[in-house]
Every structure is written in C-alpha cells, then in structure tokens.
PDB file of all heavy atoms in Angstrom:
ATOM      1  N   ARG F 317     -59.849 -18.330 -26.765  1.00 65.00           N
ATOM      2  CA  ARG F 317     -58.982 -19.511 -26.907  1.00 65.00           C
ATOM      3  C   ARG F 317     -57.672 -19.310 -26.144  1.00 65.00           C
ATOM      4  O   ARG F 317     -57.198 -20.193 -25.425  1.00 65.00           O
ATOM      5  CB  ARG F 317     -58.705 -19.778 -28.379  1.00 65.00           C
ATOM      6  CG  ARG F 317     -57.949 -21.084 -28.614  1.00 65.00           C
ATOM      7  CD  ARG F 317     -57.520 -21.188 -30.086  1.00 65.00           C
ATOM      8  NE  ARG F 317     -56.538 -20.173 -30.412  1.00 65.00           N
ATOM      9  CZ  ARG F 317     -55.232 -20.273 -30.106  1.00 65.00           C
ATOM     10  NH1 ARG F 317     -54.779 -21.312 -29.425  1.00 65.00           N
ATOM     11  NH2 ARG F 317     -54.391 -19.327 -30.450  1.00 65.00           N
ATOM     12  N   LEU F 318     -57.065 -18.097 -26.310  1.00 63.00           N
ATOM     13  CA  LEU F 318     -55.803 -17.823 -25.621  1.00 63.00           C
ATOM     14  C   LEU F 318     -56.033 -17.794 -24.095  1.00 63.00           C
ATOM     15  O   LEU F 318     -55.197 -18.271 -23.347  1.00 63.00           O
ATOM     16  CB  LEU F 318     -55.262 -16.478 -26.088  1.00 63.00           C
ATOM     17  CG  LEU F 318     -54.733 -16.433 -27.520  1.00 63.00           C
ATOM     18  CD1 LEU F 318     -54.363 -14.990 -27.912  1.00 63.00           C
ATOM     19  CD2 LEU F 318     -53.552 -17.336 -27.695  1.00 63.00           C
ATOM     20  N   LEU F 319     -57.183 -17.255 -23.684  1.00 58.00           N
ATOM     21  CA  LEU F 319     -57.467 -17.186 -22.251  1.00 58.00           C
ATOM     22  C   LEU F 319     -57.565 -18.573 -21.663  1.00 58.00           C
ATOM     23  O   LEU F 319     -57.017 -18.863 -20.598  1.00 58.00           O
ATOM     24  CB  LEU F 319     -58.790 -16.443 -22.014  1.00 58.00           C
ATOM     25  CG  LEU F 319     -59.251 -16.296 -20.577  1.00 58.00           C
ATOM     26  CD1 LEU F 319     -58.261 -15.495 -19.781  1.00 58.00           C
ATOM     27  CD2 LEU F 319     -60.627 -15.625 -20.532  1.00 58.00           C
ATOM     28  N   SER F 320     -58.249 -19.501 -22.350  1.00 59.00           N
ATOM     29  CA  SER F 320     -58.406 -20.841 -21.844  1.00 59.00           C
ATOM     30  C   SER F 320     -57.083 -21.617 -21.842  1.00 59.00           C
ATOM     31  O   SER F 320     -56.833 -22.457 -20.996  1.00 59.00           O
ATOM     32  CB  SER F 320     -59.431 -21.631 -22.702  1.00 59.00           C
ATOM     33  OG  SER F 320     -58.968 -21.710 -24.035  1.00 59.00           O
ATOM     34  N   SER F 321     -56.192 -21.269 -22.766  1.00 58.00           N
ATOM     35  CA  SER F 321     -54.881 -21.970 -22.804  1.00 58.00           C
ATOM     36  C   SER F 321     -53.970 -21.503 -21.673  1.00 58.00           C
ATOM     37  O   SER F 321     -53.043 -22.216 -21.291  1.00 58.00           O
ATOM     38  CB  SER F 321     -54.194 -21.714 -24.159  1.00 58.00           C
ATOM     39  OG  SER F 321     -53.881 -20.345 -24.321  1.00 58.00           O
ATOM     40  N   PHE F 322     -54.210 -20.278 -21.147  1.00 52.00           N
ATOM     41  CA  PHE F 322     -53.375 -19.739 -20.080  1.00 52.00           C
ATOM     42  C   PHE F 322     -53.843 -20.183 -18.684  1.00 52.00           C
ATOM     43  O   PHE F 322     -53.078 -20.100 -17.756  1.00 52.00           O
ATOM     44  CB  PHE F 322     -53.344 -18.220 -20.124  1.00 52.00           C
ATOM     45  CG  PHE F 322     -52.380 -17.672 -21.142  1.00 52.00           C
ATOM     46  CD1 PHE F 322     -52.834 -16.731 -22.054  1.00 52.00           C
ATOM     47  CD2 PHE F 322     -51.083 -18.089 -21.231  1.00 52.00           C
ATOM     48  CE1 PHE F 322     -51.984 -16.247 -23.033  1.00 52.00           C
ATOM     49  CE2 PHE F 322     -50.234 -17.599 -22.189  1.00 52.00           C
ATOM     50  CZ  PHE F 322     -50.676 -16.670 -23.105  1.00 52.00           C
ATOM     51  N   THR F 323     -55.094 -20.596 -18.563  1.00 49.00           N
ATOM     52  CA  THR F 323     -55.647 -20.866 -17.229  1.00 49.00           C
ATOM     53  C   THR F 323     -54.920 -21.948 -16.474  1.00 49.00           C
ATOM     54  O   THR F 323     -54.941 -21.986 -15.258  1.00 49.00           O
ATOM     55  CB  THR F 323     -57.127 -21.213 -17.329  1.00 49.00           C
ATOM     56  OG1 THR F 323     -57.264 -22.321 -18.268  1.00 49.00           O
ATOM     57  CG2 THR F 323     -57.960 -20.044 -17.806  1.00 49.00           C
ATOM     58  N   GLY F 324     -54.252 -22.850 -17.194  1.00 50.00           N
ATOM     59  CA  GLY F 324     -53.558 -23.953 -16.534  1.00 50.00           C
ATOM     60  C   GLY F 324     -52.306 -23.515 -15.806  1.00 50.00           C
ATOM     61  O   GLY F 324     -51.915 -24.096 -14.800  1.00 50.00           O
ATOM     62  N   SER F 325     -51.632 -22.423 -16.296  1.00 47.00           N
ATOM     63  CA  SER F 325     -50.361 -22.035 -15.704  1.00 47.00           C
ATOM     64  C   SER F 325     -50.390 -20.651 -15.095  1.00 47.00           C
ATOM     65  O   SER F 325     -49.412 -20.254 -14.430  1.00 47.00           O
ATOM     66  CB  SER F 325     -49.270 -22.074 -16.788  1.00 47.00           C
ATOM     67  OG  SER F 325     -49.627 -21.237 -17.863  1.00 47.00           O
ATOM     68  N   CYS F 326     -51.464 -19.863 -15.305  1.00 52.00           N
ATOM     69  CA  CYS F 326     -51.495 -18.511 -14.787  1.00 52.00           C
ATOM     70  C   CYS F 326     -52.750 -18.317 -13.937  1.00 52.00           C
ATOM     71  O   CYS F 326     -53.600 -19.188 -13.833  1.00 52.00           O
ATOM     72  CB  CYS F 326     -51.504 -17.494 -15.948  1.00 52.00           C
ATOM     73  SG  CYS F 326     -50.060 -17.649 -17.012  1.00 52.00           S
ATOM     74  N   ASP F 327     -52.854 -17.137 -13.312  1.00 57.00           N
ATOM     75  CA  ASP F 327     -53.993 -16.801 -12.502  1.00 57.00           C
ATOM     76  C   ASP F 327     -55.144 -16.430 -13.433  1.00 57.00           C
ATOM     77  O   ASP F 327     -55.178 -15.378 -14.025  1.00 57.00           O
ATOM     78  CB  ASP F 327     -53.634 -15.594 -11.607  1.00 57.00           C
ATOM     79  CG  ASP F 327     -54.750 -15.324 -10.603  1.00 57.00           C
ATOM     80  OD1 ASP F 327     -55.853 -15.877 -10.753  1.00 57.00           O
ATOM     81  OD2 ASP F 327     -54.492 -14.519  -9.685  1.00 57.00           O
ATOM     82  N   SER F 328     -56.124 -17.319 -13.574  1.00 62.00           N
ATOM     83  CA  SER F 328     -57.209 -17.110 -14.521  1.00 62.00           C
ATOM     84  C   SER F 328     -58.048 -15.893 -14.126  1.00 62.00           C
ATOM     85  O   SER F 328     -58.579 -15.184 -15.000  1.00 62.00           O
ATOM     86  CB  SER F 328     -58.103 -18.355 -14.589  1.00 62.00           C
ATOM     87  OG  SER F 328     -58.640 -18.658 -13.339  1.00 62.00           O
ATOM     88  N   ASP F 329     -58.244 -15.625 -12.848  1.00 66.00           N
ATOM     89  CA  ASP F 329     -59.033 -14.493 -12.419  1.00 66.00           C
ATOM     90  C   ASP F 329     -58.404 -13.187 -12.894  1.00 66.00           C
ATOM     91  O   ASP F 329     -59.069 -12.263 -13.350  1.00 66.00           O
ATOM     92  CB  ASP F 329     -59.164 -14.454 -10.896  1.00 66.00           C
ATOM     93  CG  ASP F 329     -60.138 -15.508 -10.387  1.00 66.00           C
ATOM     94  OD1 ASP F 329     -60.984 -15.928 -11.208  1.00 66.00           O
ATOM     95  OD2 ASP F 329     -60.021 -15.924  -9.233  1.00 66.00           O
ATOM     96  N   LEU F 330     -57.061 -13.100 -12.788  1.00 63.00           N
ATOM     97  CA  LEU F 330     -56.370 -11.916 -13.227  1.00 63.00           C
ATOM     98  C   LEU F 330     -56.493 -11.723 -14.720  1.00 63.00           C
ATOM     99  O   LEU F 330     -56.738 -10.618 -15.221  1.00 63.00           O
ATOM    100  CB  LEU F 330     -54.896 -11.977 -12.841  1.00 63.00           C
ATOM    101  CG  LEU F 330     -53.999 -10.812 -13.286  1.00 63.00           C
ATOM    102  CD1 LEU F 330     -54.524  -9.498 -12.722  1.00 63.00           C
ATOM    103  CD2 LEU F 330     -52.565 -11.034 -12.838  1.00 63.00           C
ATOM    104  N   LEU F 331     -56.374 -12.805 -15.482  1.00 62.00           N
ATOM    105  CA  LEU F 331     -56.515 -12.717 -16.931  1.00 62.00           C
ATOM    106  C   LEU F 331     -57.906 -12.286 -17.306  1.00 62.00           C
ATOM    107  O   LEU F 331     -58.106 -11.461 -18.207  1.00 62.00           O
ATOM    108  CB  LEU F 331     -56.190 -14.075 -17.590  1.00 62.00           C
ATOM    109  CG  LEU F 331     -54.701 -14.497 -17.536  1.00 62.00           C
ATOM    110  CD1 LEU F 331     -54.552 -15.937 -18.001  1.00 62.00           C
ATOM    111  CD2 LEU F 331     -53.867 -13.566 -18.405  1.00 62.00           C
ATOM    112  N   LYS F 332     -58.922 -12.860 -16.650  1.00 63.00           N
ATOM    113  CA  LYS F 332     -60.292 -12.498 -16.945  1.00 63.00           C
ATOM    114  C   LYS F 332     -60.551 -11.031 -16.570  1.00 63.00           C
ATOM    115  O   LYS F 332     -61.283 -10.314 -17.294  1.00 63.00           O
ATOM    116  CB  LYS F 332     -61.253 -13.392 -16.187  1.00 63.00           C
ATOM    117  CG  LYS F 332     -61.340 -14.797 -16.720  1.00 63.00           C
ATOM    118  CD  LYS F 332     -62.329 -15.626 -15.925  1.00 63.00           C
ATOM    119  CE  LYS F 332     -62.446 -17.046 -16.426  1.00 63.00           C
ATOM    120  NZ  LYS F 332     -63.401 -17.843 -15.660  1.00 63.00           N
ATOM    121  N   PHE F 333     -59.967 -10.573 -15.465  1.00 63.00           N
ATOM    122  CA  PHE F 333     -60.158  -9.185 -15.030  1.00 63.00           C
ATOM    123  C   PHE F 333     -59.573  -8.244 -16.100  1.00 63.00           C
ATOM    124  O   PHE F 333     -60.177  -7.231 -16.439  1.00 63.00           O
ATOM    125  CB  PHE F 333     -59.499  -8.958 -13.703  1.00 63.00           C
ATOM    126  CG  PHE F 333     -59.784  -7.600 -13.122  1.00 63.00           C
ATOM    127  CD1 PHE F 333     -60.981  -7.320 -12.484  1.00 63.00           C
ATOM    128  CD2 PHE F 333     -58.839  -6.589 -13.233  1.00 63.00           C
ATOM    129  CE1 PHE F 333     -61.242  -6.064 -11.959  1.00 63.00           C
ATOM    130  CE2 PHE F 333     -59.087  -5.326 -12.706  1.00 63.00           C
ATOM    131  CZ  PHE F 333     -60.323  -5.069 -12.072  1.00 63.00           C
ATOM    132  N   ASN F 334     -58.382  -8.555 -16.599  1.00 64.00           N
ATOM    133  CA  ASN F 334     -57.798  -7.741 -17.634  1.00 64.00           C
ATOM    134  C   ASN F 334     -58.625  -7.719 -18.924  1.00 64.00           C
ATOM    135  O   ASN F 334     -58.753  -6.730 -19.608  1.00 64.00           O
ATOM    136  CB  ASN F 334     -56.367  -8.227 -17.957  1.00 64.00           C
ATOM    137  CG  ASN F 334     -55.430  -7.976 -16.801  1.00 64.00           C
ATOM    138  OD1 ASN F 334     -55.623  -7.068 -16.022  1.00 64.00           O
ATOM    139  ND2 ASN F 334     -54.369  -8.755 -16.702  1.00 64.00           N
ATOM    140  N   GLN F 335     -59.243  -8.906 -19.218  1.00 59.00           N
ATOM    141  CA  GLN F 335     -60.092  -8.986 -20.389  1.00 59.00           C
ATOM    142  C   GLN F 335     -61.338  -8.138 -20.155  1.00 59.00           C
ATOM    143  O   GLN F 335     -61.837  -7.477 -21.102  1.00 59.00           O
ATOM    144  CB  GLN F 335     -60.508 -10.442 -20.636  1.00 59.00           C
ATOM    145  CG  GLN F 335     -61.254 -10.623 -21.980  1.00 59.00           C
ATOM    146  CD  GLN F 335     -61.774 -12.039 -22.133  1.00 59.00           C
ATOM    147  OE1 GLN F 335     -62.355 -12.565 -21.202  1.00 59.00           O
ATOM    148  NE2 GLN F 335     -61.583 -12.604 -23.282  1.00 59.00           N
ATOM    149  N   LEU F 336     -61.878  -8.112 -18.952  1.00 60.00           N
ATOM    150  CA  LEU F 336     -63.035  -7.287 -18.661  1.00 60.00           C
ATOM    151  C   LEU F 336     -62.739  -5.827 -18.903  1.00 60.00           C
ATOM    152  O   LEU F 336     -63.544  -5.093 -19.435  1.00 60.00           O
ATOM    153  CB  LEU F 336     -63.473  -7.507 -17.183  1.00 60.00           C
ATOM    154  CG  LEU F 336     -64.580  -6.592 -16.645  1.00 60.00           C
ATOM    155  CD1 LEU F 336     -65.898  -6.928 -17.369  1.00 60.00           C
ATOM    156  CD2 LEU F 336     -64.757  -6.741 -15.177  1.00 60.00           C
ATOM    157  N   LYS F 337     -61.527  -5.372 -18.481  1.00 57.00           N
ATOM    158  CA  LYS F 337     -61.154  -3.990 -18.702  1.00 57.00           C
ATOM    159  C   LYS F 337     -60.986  -3.694 -20.182  1.00 57.00           C
ATOM    160  O   LYS F 337     -61.217  -2.603 -20.669  1.00 57.00           O
ATOM    161  CB  LYS F 337     -59.860  -3.676 -17.938  1.00 57.00           C
ATOM    162  CG  LYS F 337     -60.002  -3.721 -16.430  1.00 57.00           C
ATOM    163  CD  LYS F 337     -60.989  -2.710 -15.943  1.00 57.00           C
ATOM    164  CE  LYS F 337     -61.121  -2.730 -14.431  1.00 57.00           C
ATOM    165  NZ  LYS F 337     -62.131  -1.761 -13.933  1.00 57.00           N
ATOM    166  N   PHE F 338     -60.518  -4.724 -20.932  1.00 55.00           N
ATOM    167  CA  PHE F 338     -60.267  -4.543 -22.360  1.00 55.00           C
ATOM    168  C   PHE F 338     -61.581  -4.386 -23.153  1.00 55.00           C
ATOM    169  O   PHE F 338     -61.698  -3.553 -24.005  1.00 55.00           O
ATOM    170  CB  PHE F 338     -59.464  -5.731 -22.902  1.00 55.00           C
ATOM    171  CG  PHE F 338     -59.264  -5.673 -24.382  1.00 55.00           C
ATOM    172  CD1 PHE F 338     -58.385  -4.770 -24.941  1.00 55.00           C
ATOM    173  CD2 PHE F 338     -59.937  -6.535 -25.236  1.00 55.00           C
ATOM    174  CE1 PHE F 338     -58.169  -4.707 -26.298  1.00 55.00           C
ATOM    175  CE2 PHE F 338     -59.750  -6.512 -26.604  1.00 55.00           C
ATOM    176  CZ  PHE F 338     -58.848  -5.579 -27.152  1.00 55.00           C
ATOM    177  N   ARG F 339     -62.582  -5.226 -22.806  1.00 66.00           N
ATOM    178  CA  ARG F 339     -63.865  -5.133 -23.505  1.00 66.00           C
ATOM    179  C   ARG F 339     -64.990  -5.285 -22.487  1.00 66.00           C
ATOM    180  O   ARG F 339     -65.357  -6.371 -22.081  1.00 66.00           O
ATOM    181  CB  ARG F 339     -63.977  -6.210 -24.573  1.00 66.00           C
ATOM    182  CG  ARG F 339     -65.094  -5.946 -25.563  1.00 66.00           C
ATOM    183  CD  ARG F 339     -65.350  -7.131 -26.479  1.00 66.00           C
ATOM    184  NE  ARG F 339     -66.046  -8.194 -25.790  1.00 66.00           N
ATOM    185  CZ  ARG F 339     -67.363  -8.227 -25.623  1.00 66.00           C
ATOM    186  NH1 ARG F 339     -68.106  -7.247 -26.075  1.00 66.00           N
ATOM    187  NH2 ARG F 339     -67.942  -9.251 -25.021  1.00 66.00           N
ATOM    188  N   LYS F 340     -65.536  -4.150 -22.067  1.00 75.00           N
ATOM    189  CA  LYS F 340     -66.597  -4.167 -21.065  1.00 75.00           C
ATOM    190  C   LYS F 340     -67.907  -4.677 -21.685  1.00 75.00           C
ATOM    191  O   LYS F 340     -68.201  -4.443 -22.849  1.00 75.00           O
ATOM    192  CB  LYS F 340     -66.799  -2.770 -20.490  1.00 75.00           C
ATOM    193  CG  LYS F 340     -65.607  -2.257 -19.690  1.00 75.00           C
ATOM    194  CD  LYS F 340     -65.917  -0.903 -19.105  1.00 75.00           C
ATOM    195  CE  LYS F 340     -64.743  -0.406 -18.278  1.00 75.00           C
ATOM    196  NZ  LYS F 340     -64.996   0.968 -17.723  1.00 75.00           N
ATOM    197  N   LYS F 341     -68.703  -5.357 -20.868  1.00 86.00           N
ATOM    198  CA  LYS F 341     -69.986  -5.834 -21.290  1.00 86.00           C
ATOM    199  C   LYS F 341     -70.949  -4.646 -21.484  1.00 86.00           C
ATOM    200  O   LYS F 341     -70.855  -3.664 -20.760  1.00 86.00           O
ATOM    201  CB  LYS F 341     -70.559  -6.814 -20.281  1.00 86.00           C
ATOM    202  CG  LYS F 341     -69.752  -8.091 -20.111  1.00 86.00           C
ATOM    203  CD  LYS F 341     -69.793  -8.964 -21.353  1.00 86.00           C
ATOM    204  CE  LYS F 341     -69.133 -10.306 -21.134  1.00 86.00           C
ATOM    205  NZ  LYS F 341     -67.734 -10.219 -20.818  1.00 86.00           N
TER     206      LYS F 341
END
C-alpha cells in the first residue's frame, strides 16, 4: 500500500528495487 502511494511522486523502479532487496522472492 505504501509502495503504491509513493509511485505518483517518486521513482517507482527504485522503490521496488529496494523492496526486492528487503524481501527476496
């Protein structure tokens, strides 16, 4: 939910990449 709320004003790819590092599949 927080990720989707940031995508409008921030670089969504960077946020997703940080999330990937936080919790790997």
